[in-house]
Amino acid sequence: MKKICKILVLPIILLFGISGYIYFNFNIYNVEKIFEDRYSVSVLDDKGEIIGVSLNKDEQWHLKSIDEIPEKLKISVINYEDKDFYKHFGVDFTSLIRAVRDNLIKRRKTGASTITMQVAKSLKPKERNIFNKYIEIIQAIKIDKFFEKDEILRMYLNNAPYGGNIVGYKTASYLYFQKKPDELTWGESTLLAVLPNSPGLMNVEKNQNKLLKKRDFLLKKLYDKKIINKRQYEISLKEPLPDKRYSFKNLAPHLTRRVIEERKEKIIKTTIDSELQEKIEKISKDYSDFLKTQGIKNLSVLLIDNKSSEIKSYIGSQDFYDFENNGQVDGIIAKRSPGSLLKPFLYAVAIDEGLIAPCSKVPDVPLYFVNFSPQNANKKYYGIVEIQDALIKSLNIPFVELLKEYGEEKFFYFLKEVLGFSDDNPARYGLSLILGTKEFTMEEIGKLYSGLANFGDFRSPIYIDVGTRNFLKENRHLSKGASYLTLNTIKKLERPGMETLYKEKNPISWKTGTSHGRRDGWAVGVTPDWTLVIWVGNFTGEGNSNLTGVYSAGNLLFRIMKILPKKQKEFQKPNDLVKIKVDEETGYRLKYQIPSKEILYPNDAKPLRTSPYYKKIFVDDNGQEIDSRDKNFLNRKEKIILNYPIEVINFFIRNGFDVSNIFGNASKKKGIKIIYPTNGLRITIPKDFDGEKDLIIKIANLKNQNLYWYLNGKYLDKTRDREKNLKLGNGKYQLTIISEEGDMEKINFEILR
């Protein structure tokens, strides 16, 4: 006996040594990381439903579940795989001894792997032999020591094979039954319990008889143990096996791809509303078929919940799988020219600055700004127009002039402060900024309009569900009153087609934009609940004469708006609006005793300026304007007259309007002005097909007088014309014009060819 003991001492010491080495060199903290690296990324909607899944690096569908394991599945698995799971410490030695006996003596293969041992085995798949089984035993003991039983069970179920490239019980539940694991029946739960036992031999598409026998055997076992009753047992036996595998939902594929690239988590919960996403995807795809008949191949849609700043629908293109028309391009994050979409924000900041009220009148005549000569899109001019009408008609001239008054740099930095873009060069855009020369993404446009809907509180749209909204601190850049007045103005925009009939029933504040060359068509709709941004065009940048913001994008906007839930119909008037008096004619703060009216104006804005178009003059008894040199000046009378800019009066005269009430005293008013070039202008004149282009001088000649033209002191001509072509070479010039009444205009400019 002693001799036998001596012989066994060395192997026992060696066995303990090897066991200790395996135990202490097994990095228990690496277990979860090993599994984590294998999982597919699953993207969820705002309710936790899957909207997209990516294959893992092994081309498997392998979902991670962090939810509590469904009770039916837990009971089924433990009764089939490891009935003493909650009793042993990772290894069931009774079963192990029985398995050794059966394998060695009875020559019958039986297993003794516990669930914990199978977890250890799945960490690093190894060849099946006694030594590797021994390693799994040691590792299972350590796993059992460091993890709770339910954690171990979750590891097993999350990584169990279910046939083909399906791994994990959550994956199998979706792809075999199209349901979440907690919705599984007893029949389905027992099927998922037995399937990992031989997933290579049995799956739902082959050897179904063997699979059915195993499932029914487990059901009988549960019935015998009184875990399920007779009725549950009989119903479960009648449940057919699934005869095919399904696919995961694939909603918002552009966003799914984006969040997978941006984030490292295996489960990403987004803010997408699946129901709305599905509806809007269908509407957009159907509408895209119509646009394609007009040569417009692409569109994108972004829907923001104004209360939470959550993106509820994200459609990057007309169809992710439209490879022929660049469907995989994400139009939401592409920078495009916004056309006229910035005008409402200049309107709002100008109100806050005290430059305008909605009824304030501004010039709308051809104007020239350095080398920039904007035109209205409809090629019409109105002479003088209320700024609210200019916004409703989206006139370019009044807004370029307003930007000049407000300051293009100041407006640029307002946009930068709100949007946080990196660009820091307002000079690159100048006054053309308001016409869309700076490009923006749909998210940036969405942030601007959602901020307007929130009465000047600008918050970045979010597409990841972070669970709490406490971080949404106020980020106010406009007064509530200016925002409301702006929203109220753009509510009056003319709608396309029959949509005009629904203005009262379905109020929407909206704005369109069409970029230069008709490359981009935009429509943005705003209600208290929603901000909807639509872009249509071609991702290639190709222009299209059929494309307009109003019709191409506007029609889609109103189709989608009709299906959106409505909680609050109209914007409520904020409490910072007060009544002020303005003059009735030009709509500025009242200064003189002239006809007036009351309007609403933000109390938090700067005081509205007085009208730049009224002037106080002195007249004699005959109503003629006089000054201090006149002999009748002591008997003078004050008179308030309209004094519109000469460019405006010139426009009215040329278009046959009566200007008697805005001209003042014609005998005293200077009747000429050089409109273009402006003083100090440096002009680059391009060549046309016939050679050098002429410089066209434009003037206002209110009284249709003879004018005497001088260039650099040399007499050129006498004419009544309002335009004159000059062929000039490089150099500096001084142009002088003298009217027959003696009025003189003089400017300096430089020609660069």
Side-chain angles (χ1 to χ4, degrees):
M1 187 67 182
K2 288 183 180 179
K3 189 175 181 180
I4 294 173
C5 290
K6 285 181 179 179
I7 293 171
L8 292 176
V9 166
L10 188 59
I12 290 171
I13 292 173
L14 187 60
L15 184 64
F16 273 102
I18 294 172
S19 300
Y21 178 82
I22 294 171
Y23 185 90
F24 290 108
N25 280 276
F26 175 46
N27 187 355
I28 197 69
Y29 302 106
N30 215 24
V31 170
E32 290 181 308
K33 184 180 185 306
I34 291 172
F35 289 137
E36 191 74 19
D37 290 342
R38 297 177 185 172
Y39 294 127
S40 299
V41 178
S42 54
V43 182
L44 314 180
D45 68 5
D46 59 352
K47 298 175 185 67
E49 301 286 345
I50 291 175
I51 59 172
V53 178
S54 68
L55 286 164
N56 68 7
K57 59 187 177 183
D58 297 318
E59 298 296 308
Q60 296 171 322
W61 299 112
H62 189 173
L63 295 183
K64 176 184 179 181
S65 175
I66 57 175
D67 302 325
E68 187 175 339
I69 300 164
E71 195 65 21
K72 291 175 187 173
L73 182 61
K74 181 190 291 189
I75 292 170
S76 300
V77 169
I78 289 173
N79 276 276
Y80 189 76
E81 290 284 354
D82 189 355
K83 61 182 173 51
D84 294 320
F85 174 68
Y86 285 100
K87 297 176 183 177
H88 61 63
F89 51 89
V91 180
D92 186 342
F93 283 102
T94 303
S95 297
L96 192 62
I97 292 169
R98 188 187 310 116
V100 171
R101 181 198 66 191
D102 290 347
N103 279 275
L104 293 178
I105 298 174
K106 296 185 178 180
R107 301 293 178 181
R108 187 179 66 193
K109 287 188 177 182
T110 59
S113 288
T114 63
I115 287 173
T116 316
M117 288 172 66
Q118 291 185 63
V119 169
K121 178 185 175 181
S122 63
L123 284 169
K124 186 178 180 181
K126 302 174 281 290
E127 183 183 345
R128 294 189 67 178
N129 55 47
I130 293 174
F131 182 70
N132 286 336
K133 180 69 72 174
Y134 172 62
I135 292 174
E136 290 168 13
I137 290 170
I138 304 302
Q139 290 177 337
I141 292 171
K142 192 168 185 178
I143 289 171
D144 192 83
K145 180 180 178 181
F146 281 88
F147 291 100
E148 297 290 334
K149 287 290 186 180
D150 281 350
E151 290 180 289
I152 296 169
L153 183 58
R154 184 180 290 107
M155 287 182 202
Y156 166 72
L157 285 170
N158 270 343
N159 295 277
Y162 284 91
N165 65 343
I166 298 175
V167 182
Y169 78 99
K170 186 174 182 179
T171 317
S173 181
Y174 277 104
L175 295 187
Y176 289 145
F177 306 114
Q178 284 191 302
K179 59 174 66 174
K180 294 189 289 187
D182 60 4
E183 298 170 345
L184 293 172
T185 65
W186 278 111
E188 292 162 345
S189 298
T190 50
L191 178 66
L192 293 190
V194 303
L195 191 54
N197 193 256
S198 303
L201 296 176
M202 294 174 291
N203 60 49
V204 299
E205 294 168 331
K206 64 181 181 180
N207 295 327
Q208 283 210 348
N209 288 337
K210 290 183 179 180
L211 193 57
L212 191 63
K213 285 181 181 179
K214 280 180 174 282
R215 185 203 71 175
D216 292 351
F217 169 79
L218 179 54
L219 284 169
K220 180 69 165 60
K221 191 175 185 179
L222 296 179
Y223 173 62
D224 291 341
K225 286 187 173 185
K226 299 188 183 326
I227 294 172
I228 59 176
N229 58 38
K230 185 178 181 181
R231 186 170 182 275
Q232 290 172 321
Y233 173 59
E234 291 174 346
I235 290 173
S236 298
L237 287 176
K238 292 178 181 178
E239 286 187 35
L241 298 184
D243 57 0
K244 66 176 182 178
R245 53 187 287 178
Y246 297 94
S247 300
F248 287 111
K249 270 188 178 181
N250 188 23
L251 288 174
H254 294 88
L255 180 63
T256 297
R257 181 180 62 183
R258 178 177 175 180
V259 298
I260 288 173
E261 290 174 354
E262 289 178 352
R263 304 180 76 85
K264 302 304 179 185
E265 299 105 356
K266 295 298 182 178
I267 302 174
I268 306 171
K269 188 177 183 185
T270 71
T271 61
I272 294 298
D273 182 318
S274 289
E275 186 178 346
L276 284 177
Q277 179 74 22
E278 283 190 84
K279 289 179 180 178
I280 296 173
E281 279 188 12
K282 185 179 187 313
I283 292 171
S284 300
K285 193 173 185 303
D286 291 345
Y287 188 74
S288 175
D289 293 339
F290 159 71
L291 286 181
K292 285 176 182 176
T293 64
Q294 299 185 332
I296 303 168
K297 300 169 186 174
N298 305 114
L299 63 79
S300 302
V301 181
L302 185 68
L303 178 66
I304 301 170
D305 182 326
N306 292 329
K307 298 296 187 289
S308 64
S309 298
E310 292 177 343
I311 292 174
K312 290 301 179 183
S313 181
Y314 187 113
I315 298 174
S317 74
Q318 68 288 347
D319 182 356
F320 188 80
Y321 298 103
D322 184 1
F323 298 104
E324 184 181 351
N325 295 303
N326 304 299
Q328 296 201 331
V329 172
D330 187 350
I332 302 291
I333 58 176
K335 287 187 176 291
R336 312 292 299 192
S337 166
S340 296
L341 292 182
L342 299 181
K343 288 174 181 174
F345 301 94
L346 178 58
Y347 182 87
V349 294
I351 289 174
D352 275 340
E353 191 67 17
L355 294 177
I356 57 166
C359 61
S360 299
K361 287 187 176 178
V362 292
D364 180 41
V365 296
L367 297 175
Y368 302 88
F369 306 90
V370 192
N371 282 325
F372 176 48
S373 177
Q375 295 180 324
N376 290 332
N378 61 8
K379 307 300 182 185
K380 295 180 181 178
Y381 302 94
Y382 299 86
I384 199 85
V385 64
E386 287 187 359
I387 192 65
Q388 61 185 346
D389 289 333
L391 181 55
I392 292 168
K393 293 181 173 70
S394 199
L395 303 177
N396 291 336
I397 300 293
F399 277 92
V400 172
E401 179 69 21
L402 184 60
L403 181 59
K404 182 182 176 185
E405 284 195 78
Y406 182 80
E408 56 262 46
E409 283 194 10
K410 191 174 177 181
F411 186 61
F412 175 91
Y413 284 109
F414 160 79
L415 295 173
K416 181 178 174 68
E417 191 173 358
V418 169
L419 299 175
F421 50 73
S422 58
D423 189 357
D424 204 25
N425 185 12
R428 182 184 304 168
Y429 312 103
L431 293 173
S432 66
L433 172 64
I434 197 60
L435 303 184
T437 50
K438 177 169 174 55
E439 296 180 331
F440 294 93
T441 67
M442 290 181 70
E443 275 184 283
E444 289 173 322
I445 295 299
K447 180 177 181 179
L448 286 172
Y449 277 86
S450 182
L452 191 63
N454 285 315
F455 287 173
D457 181 10
F458 295 91
R459 300 184 299 233
S460 295
I462 54 177
Y463 47 84
I464 301 296
D465 189 338
V466 294
T468 178
R469 299 290 168 261
N470 293 334
F471 70 97
L472 292 176
K473 296 179 180 177
E474 188 172 278
N475 187 29
R476 188 166 302 285
H477 294 278
L478 294 173
S479 72
K480 293 180 180 180
S483 302
Y484 175 81
L485 293 174
T486 304
L487 291 164
N488 199 47
T489 298
I490 59 177
K491 184 174 70 174
K492 302 168 188 172
L493 264 68
E494 194 69 23
R495 300 186 185 186
M498 298 295 289
E499 284 301 325
T500 301
L501 302 176
Y502 300 100
K503 269 189 177 182
E504 299 302 321
K505 184 180 178 182
N506 189 23
I508 297 170
S509 298
W510 73 298
K511 185 71 184 77
T512 63
T514 307
S515 68
H516 180 71
R518 299 200 175 194
R519 295 179 174 87
D520 309 280
W522 296 79
V524 185
V526 177
T527 69
D529 300 313
W530 304 105
T531 292
L532 178 61
V533 186
I534 308 289
W535 174 88
V536 300
N538 295 307
F539 287 146
T540 58
E542 171 191 355
N544 188 303
S545 60
N546 295 317
L547 188 148
T548 66
V550 174
Y551 292 99
S552 306
N555 278 311
L556 178 57
L557 176 93
F558 287 103
R559 288 188 190 190
I560 295 173
M561 276 290 187
K562 285 178 182 176
I563 62 107
L564 298 181
K566 298 174 182 65
K567 298 176 185 175
Q568 183 181 331
K569 186 175 180 181
E570 294 199 64
F571 291 101
Q572 299 301 307
K573 190 187 302 179
N575 55 16
D576 75 326
L577 285 172
V578 295
K579 290 183 178 180
I580 65 168
K581 282 190 174 183
V582 297
D583 72 84
E584 201 170 79
E585 175 63 29
T586 70
Y588 291 89
R589 183 164 56 88
L590 195 63
K591 181 179 180 181
Y592 301 112
Q593 293 297 315
I594 51 179
S596 64
K597 61 183 178 182
E598 283 190 336
I599 64 164
L600 291 174
Y601 189 77
N603 193 44
D604 295 332
K606 292 182 181 179
L608 179 63
R609 63 176 172 169
T610 57
S611 178
Y613 307 125
Y614 276 104
K615 177 183 178 182
K616 181 192 289 186
I617 63 171
F618 299 105
V619 296
D620 60 19
D621 291 337
N622 297 318
Q624 296 295 310
E625 184 178 353
I626 57 175
D627 56 28
S628 58
R629 295 170 294 180
D630 194 285
K631 63 180 181 179
N632 295 318
F633 190 69
L634 288 175
N635 298 319
R636 66 188 180 276
K637 296 177 183 177
E638 290 184 354
K639 184 178 181 181
I640 308 301
I641 63 167
L642 273 171
N643 188 44
Y644 283 131
I646 197 169
E647 298 93 331
V648 173
I649 300 171
N650 180 61
F651 173 84
F652 283 140
I653 291 174
R654 295 190 67 175
N655 286 276
F657 289 92
D658 179 12
V659 296
S660 58
N661 67 323
I662 60 172
F663 204 164
N665 191 332
S667 64
K668 294 290 184 180
K669 192 172 186 72
K670 184 177 181 180
I672 61 169
K673 182 178 180 180
I674 300 174
I675 298 174
Y676 182 81
T678 54
N679 191 45
L681 186 62
R682 301 181 73 196
I683 307 168
T684 300
I685 300 181
K687 292 182 179 180
D688 61 14
F689 294 111
D690 300 323
E692 302 284 352
K693 278 189 174 182
D694 293 347
L695 173 67
I696 302 175
I697 308 294
K698 296 180 180 289
I699 65 164
N701 184 6
L702 303 186
K703 303 175 185 178
N704 197 27
Q705 303 175 74
N706 282 319
L707 305 178
Y708 301 88
W709 297 67
Y710 296 85
L711 189 65
N712 290 345
K714 293 183 179 179
Y715 175 72
L716 290 180
D717 198 5
K718 181 179 81 168
T719 177
R720 295 176 185 267
D721 296 336
R722 293 179 172 87
E723 291 184 1
K724 190 172 188 64
N725 289 26
L726 297 178
K727 192 177 291 294
L728 302 175
N730 285 351
K732 295 182 178 180
Y733 296 91
Q734 183 181 80
L735 176 66
T736 306
I737 299 177
I738 302 174
S739 73
E740 61 185 60
E741 290 186 351
D743 294 327
M744 182 173 70
E745 275 279 287
K746 183 185 294 185
I747 60 162
N748 295 286
F749 62 93
E750 183 177 359
I751 297 294
L752 305 170
R753 288 189 183 269

